[in-house]
Structure formats: structure tokens, C-alpha cells
Amino acid sequence: MNRVRAGATKIVEQYGRDGCLSSESLASAEFGVWDRLTPGVLLIMAVGLATVEDPAFAERIAESDDTTLARLISGDFRALELGAQDVAMSWEQAVAWLWEYAQSSDVWPNTLSVLMSQAEDLWFEGLDSGDMTRPQVRDGEFGPWDASEVPSRVERLDYGVLRVPRLDGARIHPLRADGRTVGVIVSLGGHAFSLQAFRVPLGPVWGMVRPKIIQGILDQGGTAEDAESSLGAEVRARIPVVKDGQRVLQPTRIVGCDGPGWLLRGGYGGPEALTDMVDPRAHYLFTQTVVDLSAATEGPAGATQEITNLEIRWPAAE
């Protein structure tokens, strides 16, 4: 058995022995690492396979009203709330169900081993297919959306020009520049994702803007290059910032998408920002945001030939 499968099995066995996940299991699972197979990813895929192979098991989960796990096994990692305690409880529920399934089988060690092996095969099949990294933006299924379009039924927070999807456990802060509120910053644990909307008189412009972004970062002493991910053409950079009085290079993924008369730009920063696989929460935030130019306080299109950073409306209660 390879290291990842052995690690995942050890976590399940530890839960079965102690009745809860230990801090060591939570750390070794490497939950939240999106660009490679980890014990945590394998555990969730194994639970998902168990629900497919055993309808009765799936029915028990459904009857339990365990909505967190139901969303997790469908690949919806937004189900994980972002506070450390909430995340731990969500993963603990998943491992508890996997332990119960393995125990209910006639030959428990073999059942778990087979599930882990199948889950690993499924992961690499998905990786080899390219589905995990191919662009998924404005393709009919994913946005970002214009207000004139009909987006999927998603609960969104209204910031005027930007309507940002609600994300369980996330905190949203205003992004300010030159005395104006020009976007939002969504805190994602150790990472953050910013969103800004620009009016574009003559588009599309993202292909023209990226080289300027790259040069600006290089001029600051950072590194930057063109790349592509599930969020489309992007810039992967290490941007100079000052933290605790020291100058460091912050890993940052800068994404953009052209819409009818607008450009939506996002910036995802944090230790794992530059992985090939995009954090599912960041993908959700970007592709489910709606841009509404009719809510802009700046002049109408055609009043200027410049790309204009639009001011958002920050709710008085927040």
C-alpha cells in the first residue's frame, strides 16, 4: 500500500479506536491541499464511492440530514466552513461515516483497502482527463455572469456593481483604493480572494492587460508569468509585500474574465495560491459572481475610453 493510502487508512483506524479525530490525524490528512492526492482527498472520494456502490448506505446518510457530507461527496468543498473548529467537525463526520460503512461489511480490512484503491484510481483518471485544470469560465455552465444573463440559483450578497456568492464561514472585507471602495476581499482561512469590476468601453481587454500586470510586478522586484488554469488565462506571480517588518514574496494568482462591457479581475493570495489546481472555493467565488454595470455610480459607457475601476456599494450594516 502506498503512503497516501496507508495514511488515509491509519486516520480511519484512529477514529475507530478513539471515537474522534486526533490533531495528528487532522494534520496528516492535509485537508485543503487542492493540487495533489492527499489522505484527506482520498477519504472523501472513498466515502463518495461507498454511496455509489451501496444505495442503502447513501440512504442512511440522506436520512441523517448530514448536508455537509452530502455536499462534500459531490465535490462541493464549499460545504467546509472556514473556522478551524468547524472544518475539523466536518471532516470528522466524513470519517465517522466511512468507519461505519467499513464496520458494517463482512470483511472490514478488505473493504477499506478496496475503497482506497478505487478512490485513488478515480483521482488519477480525473487528473489524466484534464477536467481538473481545463478552463471553466463563461462556458454556459460557469460565469462570471452579466446582470442581463440568467445565472444559476445561488445566494449572493449585493454590493451594487458586484453580486458575490455567499460562502459559508467566509468573512468579506472592503477593498479600498484612493478613498474609494473598489472591490471585496474574501478571507479563506490562510488565503484571501479579492474581486474588482472594471468598465471596458472597448473589449475584450484581459489579453492586453496581462502583460502590463506582469511588467508592473517585475518592476517591483517580484516574479510573474502567463499561465492557464480552470479560471482561464491568468498571471502567476510572487509579489513583494511587507509582513512583520520584513519584505517577502507573496504567492498570488491573478485572474480575469471579459464580459459585455466589463472586466472582472480576481486575486488569490496565500501559501498554496500557485498550485495547478484552483482552490474550489476560489473557483466558485469567481465564476458565480455577477457584474451589474447599471449599478455603477460612474458615468455611462462611452463617456471615457479608459478602463475604469468601478466603485462598489458597501452595505451600511456590514
Side-chain angles (χ1 to χ4, degrees):
M1 182 181 294
N2 68 24
R3 181 189 66 82
V4 176
R5 274 187 280 151
T9 301
K10 184 178 179 180
I11 290 169
V12 178
E13 292 172 340
Q14 179 270 306
Y15 176 86
R17 182 179 65 250
D18 302 332
C20 64
L21 286 182
S22 67
S23 57
E24 290 80 9
S25 287
L26 287 167
S28 64
E30 298 181 279
F31 295 133
V33 178
W34 312 108
D35 68 324
R36 57 187 172 84
L37 182 65
T38 67
V41 171
L42 201 59
L43 289 170
I44 289 301
M45 298 188 78
V47 178
L49 281 170
T51 62
V52 172
E53 296 178 3
D54 187 343
F57 176 62
E59 186 174 345
R60 287 202 302 276
I61 293 180
E63 291 175 348
S64 73
D65 294 325
D66 191 342
T67 56
T68 296
L69 182 57
R71 290 167 62 188
L72 280 172
I73 61 179
S74 68
D76 181 2
F77 286 88
R78 293 175 286 117
L80 289 175
E81 295 187 359
L82 303 176
Q85 181 176 356
D86 294 329
V87 171
M89 290 304 298
S90 297
W91 286 110
E92 189 164 304
Q93 292 165 11
V95 176
W97 277 110
L98 187 56
W99 169 257
E100 178 183 326
Y101 178 76
Q103 286 291 86
S104 67
S105 179
D106 292 336
V107 187
W108 122 255
N110 186 58
T111 297
L112 189 62
S113 176
V114 170
L115 274 178
M116 293 300 181
S117 179
Q118 291 176 339
E120 185 179 51
D121 290 344
L122 185 63
W123 164 269
F124 286 113
E125 285 176 13
L127 198 63
D128 291 342
S129 72
D131 288 342
M132 296 180 182
T133 54
R134 65 177 175 83
Q136 295 172 298
V137 288
R138 288 191 67 77
D139 59 359
E141 181 179 359
F142 296 98
W145 307 102
D146 185 73
S148 64
E149 299 166 337
V150 182
S152 60
R153 294 182 179 179
V154 171
E155 184 180 1
R156 294 180 173 86
L157 303 173
D158 189 352
Y159 297 100
V161 172
L162 291 177
R163 298 180 203 159
V164 181
R166 184 185 294 277
L167 189 64
D168 289 345
R171 297 186 303 277
I172 300 183
H173 312 279
L175 175 60
R176 295 192 172 97
D178 300 323
R180 302 165 67 236
T181 304
V182 296
V184 301
I185 302 173
V186 184
S187 296
L188 301 173
H191 293 74
F193 193 71
S194 64
L195 288 163
Q196 295 175 266
F198 298 79
R199 187 191 296 280
V200 179
L202 300 174
V205 299
W206 182 230
M208 174 187 70
V209 169
R210 286 200 316 279
K212 297 179 181 180
I213 292 175
I214 290 174
Q215 189 58 54
I217 295 171
L218 295 177
D219 291 344
Q220 296 176 46
T223 66
E225 62 181 3
D226 264 317
E228 188 175 88
S229 71
S230 61
L231 291 178
E234 63 184 26
V235 174
R236 295 185 193 176
R238 297 183 183 273
I239 300 176
V241 297
V242 177
K243 288 187 176 180
D244 301 325
Q246 293 188 326
R247 185 177 182 273
V248 298
L249 295 178
Q250 170 72 54
T252 306
R253 166 181 259 120
I254 303 171
V255 298
C257 185
D258 293 295
W262 51 260
L263 169 71
L264 180 66
R265 191 173 77 186
Y268 179 61
E272 303 294 331
L274 302 183
T275 58
D276 287 338
M277 283 183 60
V278 174
D279 182 331
R281 300 166 302 175
H283 188 276
Y284 172 74
L285 285 168
F286 191 67
T287 62
Q288 292 301 332
T289 288
V290 173
V291 179
D292 185 1
L293 291 182
S294 70
T297 57
E298 287 80 355
T304 175
Q305 294 303 305
E306 299 294 327
I307 299 175
T308 306
N309 193 181
L310 299 174
E311 191 166 4
I312 70 166
R313 181 178 66 243
W314 193 257
E318 295 195 25

